[in-house]
Amino acid sequence: MLGVLGTLSGGLQAASKPSKDKAPTETTKPAEAPAAEVAPMDKPLIIVEGVNITARDYANFLQGNPNIVKNAFDSEAGKAEALREMVGIYLMRKAMYAEGLLGKDKPNPDRKELTDAYEELANRHFPRPPKASDEAAYAYYEAHPGEFGIPGMTRVSQILFVIPKNAGEAVKAEIRKKADASLKRLAAGESFAAIAKEQTENPLGKLTSGDIGFVDLDVKEQSWMKAAIAGLQQGQHTEVIESPNGFEILQLTDLRAPLTSPFANVREQAVTAVGDAAQKKVRDAYVQDLAAKAKIEVVMPNIQALFPDGVFPVAKKP
């Protein structure tokens, strides 16, 4: 709930400005400047009840919600969920005004006013469940170990040979020869760090003798690297591989297993997490109902691709 309140406090500016006479109707259209005058960050991604949600709104939303940033950047599904959350927040703010929890004379409520309004809205439509039992908390703890400790970490060194954009096959072949030459030197017993310092075309890697630090291999952008070093033992290196950046040789230099805190130390955190998850499920159903009565238009083509069945698709009956 606190994350939602933080977002409501920062909020979508337009969402905190109800109409003086009545709520926007489905036919309401935003006043749009000529295309040439609209900055890319201010172009609408989604229009909700006539209010634009822009790329700038999305960036501000992520900045204020670090708990969802990783998912939003890791996958298309994470990005869709972040945008869906933004739309849901707008709809809840609109409901607060409609139910008199926020006064129409205060289009820019402060944090306390938003907090009080949100808590009353929650009490009416998605109240927090009773405190979870230790058994339920332990089951959640076992199912979500990543939430209760330190994730695993992988440290990698790299020898990179950059392939220029639009390089032809002849150019790529010459670059591959340089990478193969470095691989032969490794096979002959030369130090990975020494060759990396001499040969790598990653400026930071040249400074650090190839070390590119701990890498989050679970993000979408690093899926190629995760596959490349799978099965390596500490100190071992790959063959020459073609990556999104060029030809590379990777060395696994450190591998740390995930560290999960004992349940006894995070019991209250787990109890809270169970309550949060249960309340969110009911809140999402409430927002789904609000969305069914609202006009939501996805206007940006690349955002449309995230929602083939609509921002809030109706669950199909079995």
Side-chain angles (χ1 to χ4, degrees):
M1 182 176 71
L2 292 177
V4 174
L5 288 174
T7 304
L8 287 167
S9 180
L12 300 173
Q13 187 67 19
S16 64
K17 295 181 179 179
S19 169
K20 294 180 180 179
D21 303 313
K22 59 181 180 180
T25 67
E26 290 193 358
T27 58
T28 303
K29 294 291 183 182
E32 296 184 358
E37 298 179 15
V38 179
M41 288 292 287
D42 295 319
K43 290 183 178 180
L45 306 177
I46 302 174
I47 302 175
V48 186
E49 295 288 322
V51 175
N52 290 350
I53 293 178
T54 67
R56 191 180 306 280
D57 292 325
Y58 180 64
N60 291 339
F61 173 77
L62 292 181
Q63 185 176 10
N65 291 270
N67 58 311
I68 67 171
V69 168
K70 183 178 184 298
N71 286 340
F73 282 99
D74 282 358
S75 68
E76 296 296 276
K79 184 188 295 184
E81 184 56 34
L83 287 164
R84 188 178 293 113
E85 184 76 3
M86 288 183 68
V87 174
I89 288 166
Y90 168 79
L91 294 172
M92 285 191 288
R93 290 189 68 148
K94 184 170 179 286
M96 291 177 195
Y97 283 108
E99 296 189 25
L101 303 179
L102 289 173
K104 291 186 177 182
D105 60 331
K106 289 191 174 181
N108 296 296
D110 60 31
R111 183 178 178 83
K112 184 178 185 308
E113 290 169 331
L114 281 168
T115 300
D116 292 345
Y118 178 82
E119 289 181 348
E120 180 56 32
L121 189 75
N123 288 336
R124 294 182 184 184
H125 301 285
F126 45 96
R128 192 167 184 81
K131 185 176 180 179
S133 66
D134 284 345
E135 290 76 13
Y138 187 66
Y140 185 94
Y141 164 84
E142 288 197 308
H144 304 84
E147 295 183 20
F148 304 99
I150 302 172
M153 295 185 290
T154 305
R155 190 170 184 175
V156 177
S157 286
Q158 168 203 64
I159 303 174
L160 170 65
F161 298 90
V162 176
I163 299 176
K165 188 176 181 181
N166 299 323
E169 291 303 315
V171 172
K172 290 180 64 175
E174 288 301 313
I175 296 171
R176 175 65 191 247
K177 285 181 182 178
K178 292 196 295 181
D180 287 339
S182 290
L183 186 64
K184 288 180 180 178
R185 291 172 62 182
L186 288 171
E190 288 192 53
S191 160
F192 191 100
I195 297 174
K197 189 172 185 65
E198 174 190 325
Q199 294 291 323
T200 189
E201 295 175 6
N202 176 343
L204 181 60
K206 187 173 286 294
L207 179 67
T208 62
S209 300
D211 180 24
I212 57 174
F214 288 102
V215 180
D216 185 353
L217 297 179
D218 291 327
V219 301
K220 181 180 179 181
E221 290 76 11
Q222 300 296 354
S223 59
W224 66 271
M225 184 181 290
K226 184 175 184 178
I229 67 173
L232 290 183
Q233 300 298 314
Q234 188 170 326
Q236 293 181 331
H237 62 77
T238 66
E239 299 293 314
V240 175
I241 58 175
E242 186 169 354
S243 76
N245 300 311
F247 291 114
E248 304 194 21
I249 305 170
L250 301 172
Q251 182 184 52
L252 177 61
T253 58
D254 195 2
L255 186 63
R256 301 184 186 182
L259 178 63
T260 302
S261 300
F263 178 70
N265 295 104
V266 293
R267 172 177 168 271
E268 287 304 318
Q269 183 183 340
V271 168
T272 299
V274 172
D276 288 345
Q279 186 180 34
K280 184 179 184 302
K281 186 175 181 179
V282 180
R283 177 176 70 88
D284 288 350
Y286 168 70
V287 171
Q288 178 93 29
D289 185 59
L290 294 177
K293 303 169 186 174
K295 183 177 182 182
I296 303 171
E297 181 184 3
V298 183
V299 294
M300 190 69 71
N302 63 324
I303 302 301
Q304 289 174 348
L306 299 177
F307 302 106
D309 300 314
V311 178
F312 292 90
V314 179
K316 296 180 181 179
K317 295 182 179 180

